[in-house]
Amino acid sequence: MNHAGMLARVKKRKRPVEAGAQGQVEVKFKEVTLYLVERKMGSSRRNFLTSLARSKGFRVEDVLSDDVTHVVAEDNQAEVLWAWLMGHGLRDVSRLAVLDISWFTDSMREARPVRVETRHRIQNTPTVTDCSPPNAVANVSQYACQRRTTTENHNKIFTDVMEELAESSEFNESKGPCLAFRQAASVLKSLPSAVHCLEAIQGLPCLGEHTKAVMEEILTFGRSFKVEEIRCDERYQALKLFTSVFGVGPKTAEKWYRRGLRSLKEILTEPNIQLNRMQRAGFLYYSDISKAVSKAEAKALGCIIEETVHWIAPDAILALTGGFRRGKEYGHDVDFLLTMPEMGKEEGLLLHVIDRLRDQGILLYCEYQGSTFDVSKLPSCRFEDMDSFQKCFLILRLEQGQVEGERGLQRDPGDSRGWRAVRVDLVAPPVDRYAFALLGWTGSRQFGRDLRTFAQKERQMLLDNHALYDKTKKLCLPATTEKDIFAHLGLEYVEPWQRNA
């Protein structure tokens, strides 16, 4: 069926209309952006309803874009409407609230966006033909370190929701639910094909009743109502926004929220807020460093760091870590591990690298932390998120001409600068700790967590970024490569690109 006639296809994203436009009416409900489907409704009625909504303070878009949060239709068949929506190339159709005109009518009557109820929804109910379990799921391990998880995620519709629920739980300091949702997402990512019904996940580890209820809701309605409520929650929105700033953690974000702050502008204009150096840099370069870093940009930065490091120390050992080592196309920053082949020679290396980057005129920000590593304090019975090796957190200037490929730098449309700021982390452990640090800094977060849990529960060992300690033998086991660590644990080696748990 040709649905092109329903409405003009998405072209350029329109800028949100604020106060001063739309007949000089202020937008009161900035968290809601409406789009009215013309098909069946007709252009005259659509124009009338658009004017009505705008007069009551609603933002209404004339074209469908990723800014839209609520799609309103009248007398449209669900399967036809959803097929049309799916064909518009939006980033995430599952985020849309696709609603019957009754929600719009109720909202106009109340002069505010009313709560979305089941009766308002135009539900996407695809026909399920295959309810057999995905191939090779019978022996799925509860530990991510015994699974192979690539970047090819067949169950993104579930895992995206699980990760949002985990993030919300983390903001609420609910460690149990947070871990449960992350474990569930990790298992689903590892499956070789998509899950089409709950029967297909019977017997899989780490999928509790709450997780299954969320999955059933998604299978039935195409979305999670709980996640939609979370996305509309003022506190969640504020904490997610605040923690997107470099140098701002959940505790600081919570403190700002409790002071009544809701936007980045309010933080910057609040006289009693004292930002530290890292946070000031985070706000200064927010537009750039809040954007994803592409693989091409990471490669360009790798060339810059490699040239800089080897200019200082030709025999230095350098490795790209983090998500890009796992084969991801995009990341939030770029992480590198560097050391020297001779013990002790790594001391002071980062300071020389920082000076060299500054001399090149590309160092926009630097936060250096000296090493506090003490071999006499091994083993550590408590894992710390940040290891004790010398490290620096940088913001570097990356030029357009340094990035290969057609897309070049990740920039906003209309940005005429020939450069952007990018976050880079450098860590320099001693060479005898290099393998442990490389394993820890490669991730993913869940893979590392499960590897440490496996070591402790199944092998009576303690593992972190510094060492692997055998509690039965009462000694630290040596390792020069990651494969040595897997061998000590009695595990098959998992390649970095298979650690995207």
Side-chain angles (χ1 to χ4, degrees):
M1 180 180 295
N2 180 12
H3 306 297
M6 292 178 70
L7 276 175
R9 291 194 175 276
V10 177
K11 295 182 181 178
K12 292 172 62 178
R13 282 176 55 178
K14 282 201 168 187
R15 297 175 66 87
V17 183
E18 303 290 350
Q22 298 188 14
Q24 306 300 316
V25 176
E26 179 187 1
V27 175
K28 298 178 181 178
F29 314 108
K30 296 182 180 180
E31 74 281 2
V32 173
T33 301
L34 304 183
Y35 176 78
L36 303 179
V37 178
E38 186 173 318
R39 184 177 184 272
K40 298 286 188 178
M41 185 181 293
S43 60
S44 297
R45 177 166 166 76
R46 181 174 184 253
N47 290 338
F48 168 75
L49 295 179
T50 296
S51 298
L52 175 64
R54 287 173 175 168
S55 71
K56 293 182 181 292
F58 287 75
R59 177 188 286 128
V60 185
E61 291 285 296
D62 293 322
V63 294
L64 184 60
S65 72
D66 288 312
D67 292 329
V68 171
T69 60
H70 293 59
V71 172
V72 177
E74 188 171 30
D75 296 332
N76 276 252
Q77 290 183 326
E79 62 272 20
V80 174
L81 178 61
W82 275 93
W84 177 75
L85 289 170
M86 295 290 190
H88 272 71
L90 299 177
R91 283 198 302 267
D92 189 358
V93 178
S94 68
R95 288 180 175 270
L96 289 175
V98 183
L99 308 171
D100 178 72
I101 193 68
S102 60
W103 176 85
F104 182 90
T105 303
D106 292 346
S107 297
M108 294 304 103
R109 183 184 304 115
E110 297 291 332
R112 62 177 178 81
V114 299
R115 180 185 179 87
V116 175
E117 300 177 7
T118 302
R119 64 184 178 87
H120 294 133
R121 298 181 183 276
I122 301 177
Q123 296 163 356
N124 182 25
T125 53
T127 302
V128 176
T129 57
D130 181 13
C131 206
S132 59
N135 296 328
V137 300
N139 297 316
V140 173
S141 172
Q142 64 176 311
Y143 298 112
C145 57
Q146 290 186 304
R147 304 192 294 263
R148 282 166 168 73
T149 308
T150 69
T151 56
E152 187 177 7
N153 181 0
H154 300 284
N155 290 288
K156 201 169 186 298
I157 189 173
F158 302 116
T159 60
D160 284 355
V161 166
M162 300 300 171
E163 287 170 351
E164 284 194 77
L165 291 169
E167 182 180 49
S168 175
S169 299
E170 189 171 31
F171 287 155
N172 293 329
E173 298 185 358
S174 301
K175 294 182 179 180
C178 177
L179 178 58
F181 285 125
R182 292 197 193 283
Q183 289 176 324
S186 175
V187 169
L188 293 170
K189 287 178 184 178
S190 72
L191 299 183
S193 58
V195 172
H196 294 297
C197 66
L198 289 184
E199 287 77 9
I201 61 172
Q202 295 305 313
L204 289 178
C206 306
L207 301 182
E209 292 306 312
H210 193 175
T211 297
K212 290 178 181 178
V214 172
M215 293 181 67
E216 184 175 25
E217 192 172 57
I218 295 170
L219 287 167
T220 304
F221 302 111
R223 59 180 31 81
S224 165
F225 301 148
K226 177 62 176 177
V227 163
E228 289 187 351
E229 289 180 10
I230 289 172
R231 289 171 184 162
C232 294
D233 180 71
E234 183 182 60
R235 178 176 174 274
Y236 174 80
Q237 290 176 347
L239 266 59
K240 189 173 180 67
L241 175 64
F242 296 162
T243 54
S244 70
V245 177
F246 176 50
V248 178
K251 289 185 179 179
T252 299
E254 178 70 32
K255 183 169 63 176
W256 289 347
Y257 176 79
R258 289 184 177 180
R259 294 181 67 164
L261 303 174
R262 298 295 181 266
S263 70
L264 301 184
K265 183 178 180 180
E266 288 176 345
I267 293 169
L268 292 173
T269 56
E270 170 57 55
N272 295 321
I273 295 290
Q274 298 295 322
L275 302 176
N276 60 35
R277 283 186 66 249
M278 185 177 286
Q279 291 163 356
R280 289 198 298 271
F283 278 102
L284 180 61
Y285 299 107
Y286 182 80
S287 178
D288 276 354
I289 61 180
S290 62
K291 293 184 185 65
V293 182
S294 70
K295 183 184 288 187
E297 290 171 324
K299 182 179 178 181
L301 287 162
C303 292
I304 293 170
I305 298 299
E306 182 177 17
E307 182 180 344
T308 301
V309 170
H310 288 157
W311 186 85
I312 297 165
D315 57 344
I317 301 167
L318 179 70
L320 174 69
T321 62
F324 289 111
R325 186 170 184 242
R326 302 197 307 272
K328 296 188 74 173
E329 293 292 327
Y330 293 93
H332 296 295
D333 57 13
V334 190
D335 302 323
F336 296 94
L337 209 64
L338 62 151
T339 191
M340 297 293 290
E342 185 178 344
M343 283 288 294
K345 291 291 186 180
E346 78 286 346
E347 294 179 10
L349 178 59
L350 283 186
L351 293 174
H352 290 302
V353 171
I354 292 166
D355 288 341
R356 177 65 176 169
L357 293 171
R358 185 180 289 112
D359 291 343
Q360 295 176 63
I362 62 174
L363 184 63
L364 302 175
Y365 170 82
C366 173
E367 180 84 18
Y368 172 78
Q369 295 180 4
S371 174
T372 58
F373 175 67
D374 185 348
V375 69
S376 67
K377 294 183 178 180
L378 296 177
S380 174
C381 296
R382 180 180 177 183
F383 177 78
E384 300 290 343
D385 287 334
M386 195 59 68
D387 56 51
S388 58
F389 303 127
Q390 59 172 321
K391 59 181 67 69
C392 57
F393 308 105
L394 312 175
I395 300 177
L396 299 184
R397 174 177 173 135
L398 182 63
E399 302 287 342
Q400 171 69 41
Q402 295 171 313
V403 183
E404 297 179 358
E406 295 180 3
R407 298 194 63 180
L409 293 177
Q410 306 292 303
R411 293 180 296 174
D412 286 330
D415 186 351
S416 60
R417 295 177 306 158
W419 64 277
R420 67 166 289 198
V422 185
R423 280 269 300 106
V424 175
D425 293 341
L426 303 179
V427 185
V431 67
D432 65 337
R433 305 295 148 185
Y434 182 79
F436 302 104
L438 181 61
L439 180 60
W441 277 84
T442 296
S444 67
R445 179 177 178 178
Q446 191 60 43
F447 186 92
R449 178 192 292 272
D450 280 7
L451 192 61
R452 295 190 298 272
T453 302
F454 178 88
Q456 185 166 8
K457 291 188 175 181
E458 307 296 336
R459 297 292 186 263
Q460 289 72 56
M461 296 180 182
L462 298 174
L463 173 67
D464 62 12
N465 287 18
H466 307 100
L468 176 63
Y469 179 78
D470 189 324
K471 292 192 288 185
T472 59
K473 297 179 181 179
K474 297 184 178 179
L475 56 84
C476 287
L477 304 176
T480 57
T481 68
E482 291 177 307
K483 290 183 178 180
D484 294 337
I485 301 171
F486 279 85
H488 285 316
L489 292 169
L491 289 170
E492 291 185 20
Y493 180 66
V494 179
E495 296 284 353
W497 59 272
Q498 298 173 323
R499 302 178 198 170
N500 289 283

